[in-house]
Amino acid sequence: MIKFFLMVNKQGQTRLSKYYEHVEISKRTLLETEVIKSCLSRSNEQCSFIEFKDFKLIYRQYAALFIVVGVNDTENEMAIYEFIHNFVEVLDEYFSRVSELDIMFNLDKVHIILDEMVLNGCIVETNRARILAPLLILDKMSES
Amino acid sequence: MALTVVSQIFPREMIPAVLPLIEDKLQHSKEIIRRKAVLALYKFHLIAPNQVQHIHIKFRKALCDRDVGVMAASLHIYFRMIKENSSGYKDLTGSFVTILKQVVGGKLPVDFNYHSVPAPWLQIQLLRILGLLGKDDQRTSELMYDVLDESLRRAELNHNVTYGNICTWFKIQKVQKAILFECVHTVYSIYPKSELLEKAAKCIGKFVLSPKINLKYLGLKALTYVIQQDPTLALQHQMTIIECLDHPDPIIKRETLELLYRITNAQNITVIVQKMLEYLQQSKEEYIIVNLVGKIAELAEKYAPDNAWFIQTMNAVFSVGGDVMHPDIPNNFLRLLAEGFDDETEDQQLRLYAVQSYLTLLDAENVFYPQKFLQVMSWVLGEYAYLLDKETPEEVITKLYKLLTSDLVSSETKAWLLAAVTKLTPRAHSSNVVERLIQEFTVSLDTCMRQHAFELKHLRENVELMKSLLPVDKSCEDLVVDTSLSFLDGFVAEELSQGAAPYKPHHQRQEEKLSQEKVLNFEPYGLSFSSSGFTGRQSPAGISLGSDVSGNSAETALKETNSLKLDGIKKLWGKEGYLPKKEGKAGDETEAPPVPQESIIMESVDQTIVKKDQSQVLTQSKEEKEKQLLASSLFVGLGSESTINLLGKADTVSHKFRRKSKVKETKSGETTSTQNMPCSYFSSSSDVTYEDDYYLDTLQDRGDKELNKFSLSSELLDSESLTELPSAEKLSSCTESTPSLFTDNMEGLHTPSTVASVANEISLASSLLEETSEHMHSDLVEVCDNETISVSSYKIWKDDCLMVTWSVSSKSGLELKSANLEISPTENFKITEQPGCCLPVIETESIKTFQYSVQMEKPFTEGNLSGFINYQMMDTHSVQLEFSVNLSLLDFIRPLKISTENFGSLWLSFANDVKQNVKMSESQAALPSALKTLQQKLRLHVVEIIGNEGLLACQLLPSIPCLVHFRVHGDVLALWFRSSCSTLPDYLLYQCQKVMEES
């Protein structure tokens, strides 16, 4: 199962973090910095899975933005790896060419999208149209 | 609409309330809502599986939903449930297989495709479920073979077809690979089938050989799974594995090592371990080190080719692993050394080699070794240095001494070192170093070091004793430690007959300690413990023997001495006890050196010496302590004795009794502090006292077993309610109160009618009349009515809960149909419906009653309990009627019947207190009247009245006690509340004020 979902830029600033398992707030920042450090220290040739303490990190880089997912042993790394891409594709579709700024200023929407896709540490929806459906309804409501 | 459901998914704990709503949503026409509902149920299942048990059928419906999303959502629930209990869902295998077949066959709507792969994550989830279902089950596995084959083939096929299409190739391949990987995993976890295995193996081959590093990683991971079943596969990929070993990416390396770890055998161990050590030296992360060190040590123990290699590997492990490694590793190592193998000469060689290697290691200048390593070294040197030919013990001692004086060594390690020196001393003929060492450490600030030094000094004065104490190479000989210490039985009996206090179990003493600190009625332990330094030689023996035998009790016995020396003693126990404990864990047979030392003292020097010593040093406290110790060890023996003596019958008696006593306790509202303790403790405590009492009982009266059994159980009742009382009192009360309680118990145990009444009361099947006559209850208050029915309610203040009863009566005398009462949940109350309230048929008078027991979740002054009633008259539509009932704090307050002693101990154990002066009206200016008001209105229990002061106690249901101390000055009442709950005193105070003002 997925333990946490992080979006971090290259400077190590956390753009989005979501935990599916209780972690103390004070420990979160510590964990995040450690996670980021270990991800940033890796080159392109190295594999995108890291064994980190008792769980695994799966990361993917999009321009200056890293997406890091922490999972436990039972998860299929490759599936998560592709899931990250799926997530980015959804963002891309919604924001039409997503950038870091989009994420910074529409954090609520990103969260909604993520909540649609991941629930209690499980991937629950991967169908792009369906993920975006509630969000689009919301948008329509706010417009009118 | 959809979003409301989403929000419910996360923070819900009030499942029962929301559940029906969500169940409705399962039938909603929009797929998204159905899907969200299923997910909400999944969440419920996660947090409280019991509460959604009844809707499992609905899950099945969801699984067969016409929409894919809903079906996919239900898979999560199934995955979870199957993981917990795979056998219960075997019948669903067929449907999962069909679903997978459809998915793989591309029957899903196109928008589920991810880069033209049909719903990859869905496939993965399905495969996982199948893997769980098919585990070790040939029949179910057979169902899956086809579909697995199909999905493997598809995955391959896709892979090949799209090969030409460069743009999308990578992505497709990746997802496909993820599926493939899961396939392989599944194939290997289900009951094996050769064809499939072959195919899967081929896939793995492709993974491993892939140039893409992520795939390589996956391949290696898959190999690790596979390798346990089929090591030959590893052979095929030998070269790749070797390449991976030297891969620049540490993660790949790590995975490869993991793989190697699985295929290690006696032939390849040296290479593999070497690789592992190399990796170990590079890595810095603690977690990895701990993990890897454990693995190496395990492998080394299992497959070590020869002694030298083994010792060297272990040395490397110790020096790298250092202090972070698991404590089992050095323990196992030492055990291995001590127990040896079958061949004696080989053992000697191994030990000799170890000793030699350690000496050379110690020779090296300016090298810092981890503390654990030093400890291991010192033990080995102490035990086996005699094997050395060239070097004399003196030289070894000198080396150890050098370490001892070093600043880098922790005091724990120093203790190990000193123990080693002690062991070596008898073999050294004359040693100035030892002299110097003794001199130096007898003035050491560290008490445990000083203790050790004194031990050594005394032993040196008596060489004979020393030699017998510290035999050569006897560390793994079975020491017969008489755990029951039967040779002390006589002594204890004697002491008992002289009026000494019998041994009290651990918890009891703790409670006593609590009360003793305040009440000051407890002399024996209060005395100082001045003799300990002087009697160093045998007190540690006693202590650690005691500790060995009955761990905590000895320690607490020491704690209770409460003197200055306490520290030293405790530490000593820790240090001395350390070895036996550790070793004892590692292997029963191996007793570490301190234990032989002590037990031999105990056995050879024996009681007489103990007594002689005692008379020399004799102080009261010493004797007391001895007694405690002896009694404590004796007690352990008794535990087994009594179980032998006692017939199974007696056991059941006590068991029955225990249940009964609990009921009784709650019934009388007598919440001693035991009630606050966890249940397990409760039963164990009663067990302990049970044995204890039994022993006393047998002392008193061995003859009449039959009577014994009953008096025994009655004693139990006594001891339970009186655990806090000093045991002398307990004893007397045991004997005194036996007759009365005896009869009481007789009733409880043997008169079916009483049992029945108790059962009745619990199940509440009994009628209202009976109920209300038993307990205080409020008047019937009409809460709401309309033209046809009226609802009235009353409260029953039961001793263990508040019962709220609603009775619905039809005015017209017509029969009420399907009347249903629902209470809306509030955060303050915990409401449980009582069985027997949902009788479908209404009684003849067209009155229907509902009973709910209400418990307060957190204290507050007043709360509102509201709900509604649904009913249907004859052939009319259903009507809903709302009502609400006020509940105040007082409804949940019950008297707490405790004694003054208990009050004292409880009083001090509570942290939250509130003080307030309340003015009294003229009429009740006197203490008795004020008391009476409080007692009646607030249901407080009057514990004691002393002059113009009084003690009151009450408890908030279920069991939060609150104590009140009050004093009257003229017309002012000074109230002082204390409770374990922080808010309760405030609320109670408020109630008190109100009551006083009113009257």
Side-chain angles (χ1 to χ4, degrees), chain B residues 325-349:
Chain B
M325 68 186 164
H326 206 257
D328 276 354
I329 298 168
N331 288 344
N332 278 339
F333 175 68
L334 290 183
R335 191 197 58 203
L336 206 80
L337 272 184
E339 281 176 1
F341 309 105
D342 304 328
D343 186 2
E344 186 60 31
T345 50
E346 202 170 304
D347 282 356
Q348 299 295 0
Q349 273 174 4

Side-chain angles (χ1 to χ4, degrees), chain B residues 159-175:
Chain B
H159 174 189
N160 291 333
V161 163
T162 48
Y163 199 83
N165 187 350
I166 292 297
C167 315
T168 51
W169 176 56
F170 280 119
K171 267 163 205 149
I172 288 167
Q173 202 192 21
K174 274 180 201 158
V175 186

Side-chain angles (χ1 to χ4, degrees), chain B residues 686-862:
Chain B
S686 64
D687 258 342
V688 171
T689 40
Y690 164 67
E691 281 160 5
D692 195 20
D693 283 353
Y694 179 76
Y695 175 62
L696 297 172
D697 218 47
T698 38
L699 276 185
Q700 289 164 0
D701 180 4
R702 277 192 178 271
D704 197 350
K705 264 212 173 155
E706 198 62 7
L707 180 75
N708 226 335
K709 242 182 283 165
F710 292 116
S711 63
L712 169 72
S713 44
S714 59
E715 267 168 44
L716 239 182
L717 174 72
D718 232 33
S719 61
E720 253 164 26
S721 53
L722 298 172
T723 14
E724 286 98 340
L725 292 183
S727 88
E729 208 173 308
K730 191 179 86 187
L731 240 175
S732 65
S733 70
C734 276
T735 43
E736 276 167 23
S737 61
T738 301
S740 65
L741 284 166
F742 180 65
T743 49
D744 207 21
N745 262 317
M746 281 291 277
E747 265 175 29
L749 292 169
H750 298 292
T751 330
S753 67
T754 5
V755 175
S757 82
V758 171
N760 261 352
E761 196 198 304
I762 293 165
S763 67
L764 279 170
S766 57
S767 70
L768 271 173
L769 277 172
E770 202 180 313
E771 193 74 60
T772 48
S773 62
E774 269 177 56
H775 301 280
M776 290 226 296
H777 62 93
S778 69
D779 299 330
L780 211 62
V781 183
E782 193 161 283
V783 282
C784 67
D785 66 336
N786 65 1
E787 59 283 354
T788 46
I789 63 161
S790 74
V791 181
S792 44
S793 84
Y794 59 93
K795 305 169 191 168
I796 306 166
W797 294 293
K798 289 186 52 146
D799 288 325
D800 53 348
C801 65
L802 174 74
M803 233 16 168
V804 184
T805 308
W806 284 273
S807 65
V808 183
S809 59
S810 158
K811 283 182 183 164
S812 53
L814 287 171
E815 200 182 348
L816 286 168
K817 251 194 191 164
S818 63
N820 197 10
L821 184 107
E822 266 183 53
I823 308 290
S824 26
T826 53
E827 55 180 1
N828 289 326
F829 298 113
K830 197 175 87 190
I831 302 157
T832 31
E833 207 170 324
Q834 292 297 325
C837 65
C838 303
L839 298 167
V841 182
I842 293 184
E843 290 148 58
T844 40
E845 296 92 347
S846 353
I847 292 175
K848 185 175 176 181
T849 57
F850 300 90
Q851 279 189 336
Y852 287 84
S853 82
V854 186
Q855 301 252 308
M856 207 175 242
E857 294 280 81
K858 56 178 186 214
F860 62 95
T861 337
E862 244 175 13

Side-chain angles (χ1 to χ4, degrees), chain B residues 636-647:
Chain B
V636 173
L638 255 179
S640 53
E641 253 171 58
S642 66
T643 37
I644 299 162
N645 287 355
L646 270 180
L647 307 165

Side-chain angles (χ1 to χ4, degrees), chain B residues 448 479 659 737 806:
Chain B
C448 79
L479 286 159
R659 209 181 310 140
S737 61
W806 284 273

Side-chain angles (χ1 to χ4, degrees), chain B residues 13-42:
Chain B
E13 224 129 23
M14 296 140 74
I15 297 170
V18 200
L19 201 55
L21 295 175
I22 291 183
E23 278 179 65
D24 283 347
K25 295 286 177 291
L26 283 175
Q27 263 96 45
H28 202 272
S29 57
K30 279 206 175 117
E31 61 84 17
I32 187 163
I33 289 167
R34 274 184 316 214
R35 187 165 59 85
K36 294 282 175 191
V38 172
L39 288 176
L41 289 179
Y42 171 58

